[in-house]
Amino acid sequence: MVQEVLAKKSAGIILLADNLVGNDALIPYDARLPVVLLLGSERSTLQEYIGGTASPKVTIAQRATSGAGEAPAMFFTSSTGPVTDPSLTPEPAAPTNDILKPDLIAPGVCLFGAAPGTVAKAKMKSAAVAMASGTGVAASITAGIAALVMQSNPAWTPAEVMSAMQTTADTVSNKGGPIKDAYGADATPWAMGQGHVSAAKMVDPGLVYPANSEDFYNFLAGQDATEAAQVKPADLTLAPIPAYNLNRASISVSRLQGSVIVKRRVTNVGGVKATYTAAVVAPSGVDVTVQPSTFDIEPAATVSFTVTLTPTAVSEEFVFGSLTWEDGTGHSVRSVIAVQPLALPA
């Protein structure tokens, strides 16, 4: 469409729509021409004017800017969980939903950045920059931030970098309220993961959740023992674990019937001995017990703990809470808790 408009040497584009899906007014239209989006009565008024005027003219004038809106917010094309398609997992919501996805969110809509000349020329008047949107943009930004984190902490593993990103992610907008989904409701962890990536905080998370290759082999063995046996190192003895016990910063337990004990371990990357205390926001209808609820930890040391989840009410839907380890000196190591409590303990 844009190429046709350019060929006719038009001055701009007017897009007419009956309605919007979520926040799709943010779709990045071609920036080489001015673009106006009209809805409802504005659309009807314009169409009547064009149809009843021999030589219609339109002037696009900037009267005012709206300033910064509430951000971040989820875009309507962002993938969300939980998985409910039976073709994607042996039975809906298990075990896939025992791993919370997405991990986190990052900027990815209508962003300007450096681009190869041919790409930039195709999208912008300037050959220096281009506007882009999508998961690839968010992933690129996250990868760049991760590179900076690893520059500051070169000994960290990828799992530890991911942990730092997740536990320090922002969960509120620039206006101080909850991050919203594409339709204006509060975004759940199945939409935004642990929150919006925060480059400033992730270089000093205090604690990280480590995971090595043995953890992942044992996780795989818990899902598919045959496949795990085929790919594991010959000298590794597998110890299968349920998906919810993979040592990640987030906790997700689907199809919970009765109590479950979730196992985790953390490593002190804060550089000094510290005392951490658990602060729990329990999901609605779920009792949460953390053992130990307080621990002392030396630099580079690792401590294990358990989280016992016990339903007190039944729900087909996931309910959400959090576990935050605090040391009183500025470190708040936050983990999302997502639970689908299907049955009470016998």
Side-chain angles (χ1 to χ4, degrees), residues 32-310:
R32 287 173 289 173
L33 291 172
V35 178
V36 174
L37 175 64
L38 298 181
L39 304 171
S41 60
E42 295 175 334
R43 166 183 172 161
S44 299
T45 300
L46 179 63
Q47 287 177 316
E48 291 174 3
Y49 168 68
I50 294 175
T53 306
S55 300
K57 295 181 180 180
V58 175
T59 301
I60 300 175
Q62 178 177 324
R63 295 180 179 272
T65 57
S66 61
E70 188 169 13
M74 302 304 303
F75 195 47
F76 79 101
T77 59
S78 294
S79 297
T80 62
V83 174
T84 57
D85 184 347
S87 68
L88 301 179
T89 183
E91 57 178 316
T96 306
N97 293 325
D98 288 343
I99 299 292
L100 183 73
K101 290 291 181 177
D103 297 306
L104 43 76
I105 57 174
V109 179
C110 302
L111 298 183
F112 287 97
T118 54
V119 174
K121 287 180 180 178
K123 293 187 175 183
M124 302 289 295
K125 291 182 179 180
S126 168
V129 297
M131 184 197 298
S133 295
T135 303
V137 176
S140 298
I141 289 175
T142 305
I145 295 172
L148 293 176
V149 174
M150 295 197 75
Q151 184 179 43
S152 300
N153 304 278
W156 284 10
T157 67
E160 291 168 339
V161 173
M162 173 59 77
S163 171
M165 288 183 173
Q166 291 179 283
T167 60
T168 60
D170 291 325
T171 59
V172 298
S173 73
N174 59 342
K175 304 296 185 182
I179 293 175
K180 301 297 184 181
D181 67 15
Y183 305 95
D186 293 352
T188 74
W190 284 118
M192 67 174 185
Q194 294 255 140
H196 190 270
V197 64
S198 174
K201 294 188 294 184
M202 67 174 57
V203 294
D204 183 24
L207 302 173
V208 293
Y209 288 78
N212 54 35
S213 59
E214 183 174 344
D215 292 310
F216 286 98
Y217 283 121
N218 289 334
F219 158 74
L220 181 59
Q223 320 315 308
D224 187 330
T226 300
E227 183 176 351
Q230 292 173 345
V231 300
K232 76 174 185 69
D235 59 348
L236 175 63
T237 300
L238 293 174
I241 60 172
Y244 55 74
N245 274 344
L246 181 61
N247 201 52
R248 292 169 50 84
S250 59
I251 295 173
S252 181
V253 180
S254 63
R255 305 175 68 83
L256 178 59
Q257 302 186 48
S259 296
V260 68
I261 297 176
V262 178
K263 299 177 181 180
R264 289 292 187 269
R265 65 184 189 275
V266 288
T267 298
N268 181 5
V269 294
V272 297
K273 182 179 179 179
T275 299
Y276 280 89
T277 301
V280 173
V281 177
S284 178
V286 179
D287 284 341
V288 180
T289 303
V290 181
Q291 291 291 341
S293 59
T294 299
F295 60 79
D296 296 326
I297 186 169
E298 298 287 343
T302 298
V303 167
S304 296
F305 64 92
T306 62
V307 180
T308 302
L309 305 173
T310 305

